[in-house]
Amino acid sequence: MTKRPHMLSGEQANPHRRALIAKIHVARKEMGMETEDYRSLISRVSGRTSCADCSFGQLEDVLAEMKRLGFVAKPAVRKAPARPVVRKIYALWNAMAPMLRSEGSQEALRTFVERQVGVSAPEFLEDAQAYQVIEALKRWQHRLGAEAEG
């Protein structure tokens, strides 16, 4: 392994560096490495005693060595960000929750969405369907407000 220079100024705040350190800690845990063995590996690969003292390149080398020793990184599972119309549906639903018999459960929302447009969950709605559900929720919310006043 090639030795890389010690960390450059400002490199420590790099979010990619922090993610790499986190991945190394996950690898250590999944490999069941004791502290002494872990520090020995870091020292052998980077010449440092802690990930905090390693440069980004040295951290990459440490992770590569852990992979060589058997660590298999699992692919990251990323949730797709909710579309604004879906967030709006959840916001309306959560605002109504205290006034509902179901107390605003997710199951009740899915049932409502399916009854309105025939789709099993808000995340699967097309935009036109989402707007239809939003308008239905607004009307329901208005009725609940009128009932609360009367």
Side-chain angles (χ1 to χ4, degrees):
M1 309 256 159
T2 59
K3 300 287 183 194
R4 304 218 176 154
H6 188 55
M7 168 181 17
L8 303 171
S9 63
E11 186 177 331
Q12 202 162 20
N14 182 340
H16 298 294
R17 183 177 182 283
R18 287 192 307 267
L20 192 52
I21 290 172
K23 191 178 277 192
I24 289 169
H25 286 273
V26 167
R28 172 188 174 195
K29 183 178 177 186
E30 287 187 10
M31 294 173 72
M33 292 182 87
E34 298 292 330
T35 303
E36 191 175 302
D37 296 330
Y38 169 69
R39 297 226 181 265
S40 174
L41 180 137
I42 292 172
S43 177
R44 180 172 49 83
V45 173
S46 69
R48 309 282 179 214
T49 57
S50 167
C51 283
D53 297 332
C54 293
S55 69
F56 188 82
Q58 290 169 331
L59 292 171
E60 287 179 324
D61 290 345
V62 168
L63 186 59
E65 178 65 3
M66 292 175 111
K67 286 179 180 178
R68 189 188 71 76
L69 293 172
F71 172 64
V72 178
K74 296 175 185 164
V77 177
R78 295 185 184 254
K79 268 178 77 174
R83 299 182 342 257
V85 290
V86 174
R87 288 196 309 264
K88 177 71 173 182
I89 290 169
Y90 279 106
L92 286 167
W93 185 257
N94 291 333
M96 293 169 45
M99 299 179 270
L100 301 174
R101 274 185 269 150
S102 68
E103 297 177 353
S105 74
Q106 297 302 308
E107 183 179 330
L109 174 59
R110 286 191 295 273
T111 301
F112 176 79
V113 169
E114 188 154 11
R115 193 172 59 241
Q116 291 296 311
V117 293
V119 176
S120 64
E123 292 78 14
F124 304 129
L125 295 171
E126 294 185 12
D127 284 349
Q129 294 169 320
Y131 291 120
Q132 187 178 342
V133 169
I134 288 169
E135 291 307 313
L137 284 169
K138 286 179 182 177
R139 288 190 301 272
W140 190 7
Q141 190 175 38
H142 180 74
R143 285 191 308 273
L144 287 171
E147 288 174 10
E149 292 175 7

